[in-house]
mmCIF file of all heavy atoms in Angstrom:
data_model
loop_
_atom_site.group_PDB
_atom_site.id
_atom_site.type_symbol
_atom_site.label_atom_id
_atom_site.label_comp_id
_atom_site.label_asym_id
_atom_site.label_seq_id
_atom_site.Cartn_x
_atom_site.Cartn_y
_atom_site.Cartn_z
ATOM 1 N N MET A 748 20.258 -12.775 -3.392
ATOM 2 C CA MET A 748 19.283 -11.763 -3.753
ATOM 3 C C MET A 748 18.898 -10.939 -2.518
ATOM 4 O O MET A 748 18.811 -11.467 -1.417
ATOM 5 C CB MET A 748 18.002 -12.430 -4.305
ATOM 6 C CG MET A 748 18.180 -13.068 -5.680
ATOM 7 S SD MET A 748 16.640 -13.634 -6.398
ATOM 8 C CE MET A 748 16.271 -15.064 -5.336
ATOM 9 N N LYS A 749 18.667 -9.670 -2.744
ATOM 10 C CA LYS A 749 18.210 -8.784 -1.733
ATOM 11 C C LYS A 749 16.847 -8.205 -2.142
ATOM 12 O O LYS A 749 16.666 -7.776 -3.281
ATOM 13 C CB LYS A 749 19.188 -7.639 -1.488
ATOM 14 C CG LYS A 749 20.502 -8.029 -0.850
ATOM 15 C CD LYS A 749 21.388 -6.823 -0.566
ATOM 16 C CE LYS A 749 22.678 -7.265 0.117
ATOM 17 N NZ LYS A 749 23.529 -6.096 0.409
ATOM 18 N N LEU A 750 15.894 -8.202 -1.200
ATOM 19 C CA LEU A 750 14.588 -7.625 -1.454
ATOM 20 C C LEU A 750 14.431 -6.396 -0.529
ATOM 21 O O LEU A 750 14.342 -6.530 0.668
ATOM 22 C CB LEU A 750 13.464 -8.618 -1.188
ATOM 23 C CG LEU A 750 12.022 -8.118 -1.375
ATOM 24 C CD1 LEU A 750 11.805 -7.594 -2.794
ATOM 25 C CD2 LEU A 750 11.054 -9.214 -1.039
ATOM 26 N N TYR A 751 14.402 -5.224 -1.141
ATOM 27 C CA TYR A 751 14.260 -3.996 -0.393
ATOM 28 C C TYR A 751 12.769 -3.735 -0.258
ATOM 29 O O TYR A 751 11.999 -3.805 -1.211
ATOM 30 C CB TYR A 751 14.919 -2.821 -1.119
ATOM 31 C CG TYR A 751 16.423 -2.899 -1.154
ATOM 32 C CD1 TYR A 751 17.101 -3.679 -2.114
ATOM 33 C CD2 TYR A 751 17.198 -2.213 -0.213
ATOM 34 C CE1 TYR A 751 18.484 -3.738 -2.144
ATOM 35 C CE2 TYR A 751 18.585 -2.287 -0.236
ATOM 36 C CZ TYR A 751 19.212 -3.070 -1.176
ATOM 37 O OH TYR A 751 20.569 -3.140 -1.219
ATOM 38 N N TYR A 752 12.352 -3.405 0.971
ATOM 39 C CA TYR A 752 10.894 -3.309 1.240
ATOM 40 C C TYR A 752 10.651 -2.232 2.300
ATOM 41 O O TYR A 752 11.556 -1.731 2.971
ATOM 42 C CB TYR A 752 10.376 -4.649 1.738
ATOM 43 C CG TYR A 752 10.778 -4.961 3.186
ATOM 44 C CD1 TYR A 752 9.965 -4.649 4.247
ATOM 45 C CD2 TYR A 752 12.014 -5.552 3.445
ATOM 46 C CE1 TYR A 752 10.332 -4.892 5.557
ATOM 47 C CE2 TYR A 752 12.398 -5.811 4.745
ATOM 48 C CZ TYR A 752 11.584 -5.499 5.797
ATOM 49 O OH TYR A 752 11.949 -5.723 7.097
ATOM 50 N N SER A 753 9.387 -1.931 2.441
ATOM 51 C CA SER A 753 8.850 -1.109 3.538
ATOM 52 C C SER A 753 7.527 -1.759 3.960
ATOM 53 O O SER A 753 7.043 -2.663 3.251
ATOM 54 C CB SER A 753 8.628 0.340 3.103
ATOM 55 O OG SER A 753 7.540 0.445 2.205
ATOM 56 N N PRO A 758 4.975 -3.064 -1.257
ATOM 57 C CA PRO A 758 6.080 -3.879 -0.731
ATOM 58 C C PRO A 758 5.600 -5.039 0.121
ATOM 59 O O PRO A 758 6.234 -6.109 0.137
ATOM 60 C CB PRO A 758 6.876 -2.859 0.110
ATOM 61 C CG PRO A 758 6.571 -1.544 -0.526
ATOM 62 C CD PRO A 758 5.143 -1.641 -0.963
ATOM 63 N N ARG A 759 4.475 -4.860 0.806
ATOM 64 C CA ARG A 759 3.931 -5.959 1.611
ATOM 65 C C ARG A 759 3.628 -7.182 0.736
ATOM 66 O O ARG A 759 3.900 -8.331 1.141
ATOM 67 C CB ARG A 759 2.661 -5.520 2.346
ATOM 68 C CG ARG A 759 2.087 -6.573 3.240
ATOM 69 C CD ARG A 759 0.683 -6.235 3.739
ATOM 70 N NE ARG A 759 0.214 -7.175 4.713
ATOM 71 C CZ ARG A 759 -0.307 -8.371 4.417
ATOM 72 N NH1 ARG A 759 -0.417 -8.737 3.137
ATOM 73 N NH2 ARG A 759 -0.708 -9.188 5.386
ATOM 74 N N VAL A 760 3.095 -6.928 -0.443
ATOM 75 C CA VAL A 760 2.779 -8.029 -1.331
ATOM 76 C C VAL A 760 4.052 -8.744 -1.793
ATOM 77 O O VAL A 760 4.096 -9.964 -1.821
ATOM 78 C CB VAL A 760 1.982 -7.506 -2.567
ATOM 79 C CG1 VAL A 760 1.723 -8.654 -3.553
ATOM 80 C CG2 VAL A 760 0.666 -6.883 -2.154
ATOM 81 N N ALA A 761 5.079 -7.975 -2.134
ATOM 82 C CA ALA A 761 6.336 -8.579 -2.573
ATOM 83 C C ALA A 761 6.964 -9.446 -1.489
ATOM 84 O O ALA A 761 7.442 -10.545 -1.768
ATOM 85 C CB ALA A 761 7.302 -7.491 -3.009
ATOM 86 N N VAL A 762 6.934 -8.964 -0.262
ATOM 87 C CA VAL A 762 7.505 -9.754 0.861
ATOM 88 C C VAL A 762 6.649 -10.990 1.073
ATOM 89 O O VAL A 762 7.180 -12.100 1.320
ATOM 90 C CB VAL A 762 7.582 -8.884 2.151
ATOM 91 C CG1 VAL A 762 7.966 -9.768 3.334
ATOM 92 C CG2 VAL A 762 8.580 -7.762 1.964
ATOM 93 N N ALA A 763 5.332 -10.863 0.992
ATOM 94 C CA ALA A 763 4.472 -12.053 1.155
ATOM 95 C C ALA A 763 4.763 -13.098 0.116
ATOM 96 O O ALA A 763 4.790 -14.293 0.430
ATOM 97 C CB ALA A 763 3.002 -11.604 1.112
ATOM 98 N N VAL A 764 4.965 -12.656 -1.133
ATOM 99 C CA VAL A 764 5.280 -13.631 -2.174
ATOM 100 C C VAL A 764 6.596 -14.327 -1.867
ATOM 101 O O VAL A 764 6.679 -15.550 -1.950
ATOM 102 C CB VAL A 764 5.380 -12.902 -3.555
ATOM 103 C CG1 VAL A 764 5.982 -13.809 -4.602
ATOM 104 C CG2 VAL A 764 4.011 -12.412 -4.002
ATOM 105 N N ALA A 765 7.623 -13.580 -1.516
ATOM 106 C CA ALA A 765 8.930 -14.154 -1.230
ATOM 107 C C ALA A 765 8.836 -15.163 -0.090
ATOM 108 O O ALA A 765 9.465 -16.259 -0.153
ATOM 109 C CB ALA A 765 9.934 -13.066 -0.928
ATOM 110 N N ARG A 766 8.113 -14.828 0.922
ATOM 111 C CA ARG A 766 8.031 -15.745 2.088
ATOM 112 C C ARG A 766 7.151 -16.955 1.744
ATOM 113 O O ARG A 766 7.464 -18.080 2.200
ATOM 114 C CB ARG A 766 7.495 -14.978 3.288
ATOM 115 C CG ARG A 766 8.391 -13.822 3.645
ATOM 116 C CD ARG A 766 8.274 -13.359 5.045
ATOM 117 N NE ARG A 766 9.089 -14.184 5.924
ATOM 118 C CZ ARG A 766 9.347 -13.900 7.182
ATOM 119 N NH1 ARG A 766 8.854 -12.812 7.752
ATOM 120 N NH2 ARG A 766 10.093 -14.709 7.926
ATOM 121 N N HIS A 767 6.128 -16.730 0.984
ATOM 122 C CA HIS A 767 5.272 -17.871 0.587
ATOM 123 C C HIS A 767 6.058 -18.880 -0.280
ATOM 124 O O HIS A 767 5.885 -20.108 -0.131
ATOM 125 C CB HIS A 767 4.058 -17.377 -0.208
ATOM 126 C CG HIS A 767 3.170 -18.479 -0.683
ATOM 127 N ND1 HIS A 767 2.402 -19.268 0.154
ATOM 128 C CD2 HIS A 767 2.899 -18.904 -1.946
ATOM 129 C CE1 HIS A 767 1.734 -20.139 -0.542
ATOM 130 N NE2 HIS A 767 1.993 -19.953 -1.832
ATOM 131 N N LEU A 768 6.932 -18.352 -1.138
ATOM 132 C CA LEU A 768 7.723 -19.213 -2.020
ATOM 133 C C LEU A 768 9.004 -19.684 -1.389
ATOM 134 O O LEU A 768 9.770 -20.409 -2.029
ATOM 135 C CB LEU A 768 8.035 -18.459 -3.322
ATOM 136 C CG LEU A 768 6.822 -18.129 -4.200
ATOM 137 C CD1 LEU A 768 7.242 -17.223 -5.344
ATOM 138 C CD2 LEU A 768 6.130 -19.388 -4.711
ATOM 139 N N HIS A 769 9.279 -19.262 -0.134
ATOM 140 C CA HIS A 769 10.535 -19.585 0.531
ATOM 141 C C HIS A 769 11.732 -19.157 -0.339
ATOM 142 O O HIS A 769 12.697 -19.902 -0.509
ATOM 143 C CB HIS A 769 10.610 -21.060 0.872
ATOM 144 C CG HIS A 769 9.435 -21.565 1.673
ATOM 145 N ND1 HIS A 769 9.273 -21.249 3.018
ATOM 146 C CD2 HIS A 769 8.380 -22.326 1.339
ATOM 147 C CE1 HIS A 769 8.148 -21.812 3.462
ATOM 148 N NE2 HIS A 769 7.578 -22.475 2.449
ATOM 149 N N SER A 770 11.611 -17.980 -0.848
ATOM 150 C CA SER A 770 12.663 -17.470 -1.770
ATOM 151 C C SER A 770 13.942 -17.179 -1.024
ATOM 152 O O SER A 770 13.936 -16.709 0.144
ATOM 153 C CB SER A 770 12.178 -16.151 -2.418
ATOM 154 O OG SER A 770 11.020 -16.371 -3.159
ATOM 155 N N PRO A 771 15.089 -17.462 -1.623
ATOM 156 C CA PRO A 771 16.404 -17.273 -0.964
ATOM 157 C C PRO A 771 16.803 -15.793 -1.037
ATOM 158 O O PRO A 771 17.761 -15.421 -1.759
ATOM 159 C CB PRO A 771 17.317 -18.157 -1.771
ATOM 160 C CG PRO A 771 16.722 -18.143 -3.177
ATOM 161 C CD PRO A 771 15.247 -18.100 -2.975
ATOM 162 N N VAL A 772 16.094 -14.951 -0.324
ATOM 163 C CA VAL A 772 16.363 -13.537 -0.381
ATOM 164 C C VAL A 772 16.777 -13.033 0.994
ATOM 165 O O VAL A 772 16.373 -13.568 2.028
ATOM 166 C CB VAL A 772 15.167 -12.689 -0.894
ATOM 167 C CG1 VAL A 772 14.756 -13.165 -2.268
ATOM 168 C CG2 VAL A 772 14.036 -12.744 0.044
ATOM 169 N N GLU A 773 17.533 -11.945 0.997
ATOM 170 C CA GLU A 773 17.845 -11.183 2.200
ATOM 171 C C GLU A 773 16.882 -10.000 2.195
ATOM 172 O O GLU A 773 16.803 -9.261 1.231
ATOM 173 C CB GLU A 773 19.281 -10.694 2.197
ATOM 174 C CG GLU A 773 19.621 -9.780 3.348
ATOM 175 C CD GLU A 773 21.005 -9.164 3.250
ATOM 176 O OE1 GLU A 773 21.784 -9.622 2.369
ATOM 177 O OE2 GLU A 773 21.316 -8.233 4.000
ATOM 178 N N TYR A 774 16.128 -9.828 3.297
ATOM 179 C CA TYR A 774 15.157 -8.742 3.368
ATOM 180 C C TYR A 774 15.827 -7.485 3.940
ATOM 181 O O TYR A 774 16.415 -7.526 5.042
ATOM 182 C CB TYR A 774 13.995 -9.179 4.244
ATOM 183 C CG TYR A 774 13.258 -10.362 3.682
ATOM 184 C CD1 TYR A 774 13.549 -11.644 4.088
ATOM 185 C CD2 TYR A 774 12.229 -10.183 2.759
ATOM 186 C CE1 TYR A 774 12.871 -12.750 3.563
ATOM 187 C CE2 TYR A 774 11.534 -11.279 2.258
ATOM 188 C CZ TYR A 774 11.878 -12.538 2.644
ATOM 189 O OH TYR A 774 11.198 -13.632 2.120
ATOM 190 N N VAL A 775 15.704 -6.398 3.230
ATOM 191 C CA VAL A 775 16.328 -5.133 3.614
ATOM 192 C C VAL A 775 15.295 -4.047 3.751
ATOM 193 O O VAL A 775 14.723 -3.600 2.730
ATOM 194 C CB VAL A 775 17.430 -4.731 2.616
ATOM 195 C CG1 VAL A 775 18.139 -3.475 3.104
ATOM 196 C CG2 VAL A 775 18.413 -5.848 2.385
ATOM 197 N N ALA A 776 15.017 -3.643 4.983
ATOM 198 C CA ALA A 776 14.077 -2.519 5.171
ATOM 199 C C ALA A 776 14.686 -1.247 4.636
ATOM 200 O O ALA A 776 15.878 -0.985 4.826
ATOM 201 C CB ALA A 776 13.748 -2.355 6.641
ATOM 202 N N ALA A 777 13.909 -0.431 3.921
ATOM 203 C CA ALA A 777 14.416 0.768 3.270
ATOM 204 C C ALA A 777 13.399 1.880 3.288
ATOM 205 O O ALA A 777 12.203 1.657 3.305
ATOM 206 C CB ALA A 777 14.792 0.451 1.812
ATOM 207 N N PRO A 798 8.922 -1.996 -3.623
ATOM 208 C CA PRO A 798 9.989 -3.010 -3.493
ATOM 209 C C PRO A 798 10.933 -2.974 -4.702
ATOM 210 O O PRO A 798 10.555 -2.600 -5.806
ATOM 211 C CB PRO A 798 9.216 -4.323 -3.450
ATOM 212 C CG PRO A 798 8.022 -4.078 -4.304
ATOM 213 C CD PRO A 798 7.620 -2.641 -4.036
ATOM 214 N N VAL A 799 12.126 -3.452 -4.423
ATOM 215 C CA VAL A 799 13.124 -3.707 -5.473
ATOM 216 C C VAL A 799 13.841 -5.007 -5.142
ATOM 217 O O VAL A 799 14.224 -5.227 -3.979
ATOM 218 C CB VAL A 799 14.173 -2.582 -5.554
ATOM 219 C CG1 VAL A 799 15.108 -2.838 -6.766
ATOM 220 C CG2 VAL A 799 13.533 -1.232 -5.669
ATOM 221 N N LEU A 800 13.990 -5.850 -6.144
ATOM 222 C CA LEU A 800 14.768 -7.068 -5.981
ATOM 223 C C LEU A 800 16.101 -6.893 -6.699
ATOM 224 O O LEU A 800 16.159 -6.509 -7.840
ATOM 225 C CB LEU A 800 14.030 -8.261 -6.598
ATOM 226 C CG LEU A 800 14.654 -9.647 -6.400
ATOM 227 C CD1 LEU A 800 14.573 -10.060 -4.943
ATOM 228 C CD2 LEU A 800 13.960 -10.669 -7.299
ATOM 229 N N VAL A 801 17.194 -7.190 -5.965
ATOM 230 C CA VAL A 801 18.541 -7.016 -6.516
ATOM 231 C C VAL A 801 19.253 -8.352 -6.498
ATOM 232 O O VAL A 801 19.308 -9.026 -5.457
ATOM 233 C CB VAL A 801 19.361 -5.971 -5.674
ATOM 234 C CG1 VAL A 801 20.786 -5.896 -6.219
ATOM 235 C CG2 VAL A 801 18.660 -4.606 -5.748
ATOM 236 N N ILE A 813 8.541 -8.653 -9.666
ATOM 237 C CA ILE A 813 9.270 -9.391 -8.610
ATOM 238 C C ILE A 813 8.591 -10.746 -8.400
ATOM 239 O O ILE A 813 9.234 -11.794 -8.288
ATOM 240 C CB ILE A 813 9.362 -8.574 -7.328
ATOM 241 C CG1 ILE A 813 10.309 -7.384 -7.554
ATOM 242 C CG2 ILE A 813 9.842 -9.426 -6.164
ATOM 243 C CD1 ILE A 813 10.251 -6.347 -6.426
ATOM 244 N N LEU A 817 10.434 -14.324 -8.891
ATOM 245 C CA LEU A 817 10.594 -15.250 -7.766
ATOM 246 C C LEU A 817 9.858 -16.574 -8.006
ATOM 247 O O LEU A 817 10.350 -17.623 -7.565
ATOM 248 C CB LEU A 817 10.114 -14.592 -6.479
ATOM 249 C CG LEU A 817 10.986 -13.436 -5.943
ATOM 250 C CD1 LEU A 817 10.390 -12.860 -4.676
ATOM 251 C CD2 LEU A 817 12.438 -13.838 -5.718
ATOM 252 N N ALA A 941 2.308 -16.523 5.381
ATOM 253 C CA ALA A 941 3.086 -15.529 4.626
ATOM 254 C C ALA A 941 2.227 -14.329 4.244
ATOM 255 O O ALA A 941 2.761 -13.221 4.096
ATOM 256 C CB ALA A 941 3.673 -16.164 3.374
ATOM 257 N N ASP A 944 0.960 -12.342 7.945
ATOM 258 C CA ASP A 944 1.992 -11.568 8.626
ATOM 259 C C ASP A 944 3.324 -11.685 7.918
ATOM 260 O O ASP A 944 4.244 -12.348 8.399
ATOM 261 C CB ASP A 944 2.142 -12.013 10.095
ATOM 262 C CG ASP A 944 2.972 -11.078 10.947
ATOM 263 O OD1 ASP A 944 3.394 -10.047 10.406
ATOM 264 O OD2 ASP A 944 3.212 -11.389 12.121
ATOM 265 N N PRO A 945 3.441 -11.075 6.744
ATOM 266 C CA PRO A 945 4.683 -11.274 5.946
ATOM 267 C C PRO A 945 5.954 -10.697 6.624
ATOM 268 O O PRO A 945 7.047 -11.125 6.290
ATOM 269 C CB PRO A 945 4.368 -10.517 4.651
ATOM 270 C CG PRO A 945 3.303 -9.581 4.968
ATOM 271 C CD PRO A 945 2.501 -10.232 6.044
ATOM 272 N N PHE A 946 5.749 -9.752 7.578
ATOM 273 C CA PHE A 946 6.916 -9.108 8.176
ATOM 274 C C PHE A 946 7.347 -9.802 9.491
ATOM 275 O O PHE A 946 8.252 -9.317 10.171
ATOM 276 C CB PHE A 946 6.642 -7.635 8.431
ATOM 277 C CG PHE A 946 6.241 -6.916 7.197
ATOM 278 C CD1 PHE A 946 4.973 -6.330 7.106
ATOM 279 C CD2 PHE A 946 7.094 -6.783 6.121
ATOM 280 C CE1 PHE A 946 4.578 -5.666 5.972
ATOM 281 C CE2 PHE A 946 6.724 -6.100 4.985
ATOM 282 C CZ PHE A 946 5.457 -5.535 4.906
ATOM 283 N N ALA A 947 6.718 -10.929 9.815
ATOM 284 C CA ALA A 947 7.039 -11.586 11.058
ATOM 285 C C ALA A 947 8.546 -11.946 11.130
ATOM 286 O O ALA A 947 9.063 -12.565 10.220
ATOM 287 C CB ALA A 947 6.211 -12.883 11.222
ATOM 288 N N GLY A 948 9.155 -11.529 12.189
ATOM 289 C CA GLY A 948 10.583 -11.835 12.404
ATOM 290 C C GLY A 948 11.567 -11.019 11.617
ATOM 291 O O GLY A 948 12.773 -11.213 11.709
ATOM 292 N N LEU A 949 11.060 -10.022 10.830
ATOM 293 C CA LEU A 949 11.983 -9.225 10.023
ATOM 294 C C LEU A 949 12.427 -7.958 10.759
ATOM 295 O O LEU A 949 13.233 -7.219 10.259
ATOM 296 C CB LEU A 949 11.304 -8.816 8.695
ATOM 297 C CG LEU A 949 10.962 -9.960 7.756
ATOM 298 C CD1 LEU A 949 10.451 -9.387 6.423
ATOM 299 C CD2 LEU A 949 12.126 -10.897 7.508
ATOM 300 N N GLY A 950 11.884 -7.719 11.937
ATOM 301 C CA GLY A 950 12.281 -6.544 12.677
ATOM 302 C C GLY A 950 11.737 -5.284 12.120
ATOM 303 O O GLY A 950 12.265 -4.180 12.356
#
Side-chain angles (χ1 to χ4, degrees):
M748 290 187 289
K749 291 184 178 181
L750 178 57
Y751 292 83
Y752 74 94
S753 70
R759 183 191 186 279
V760 177
V762 172
V764 169
R766 302 203 82 170
H767 179 67
L768 295 173
H769 305 288
S770 301
V772 302
E773 175 186 350
Y774 297 93
V775 183
V799 185
L800 185 69
V801 176
I813 291 169
L817 291 179
D944 191 4
F946 304 117
L949 297 186

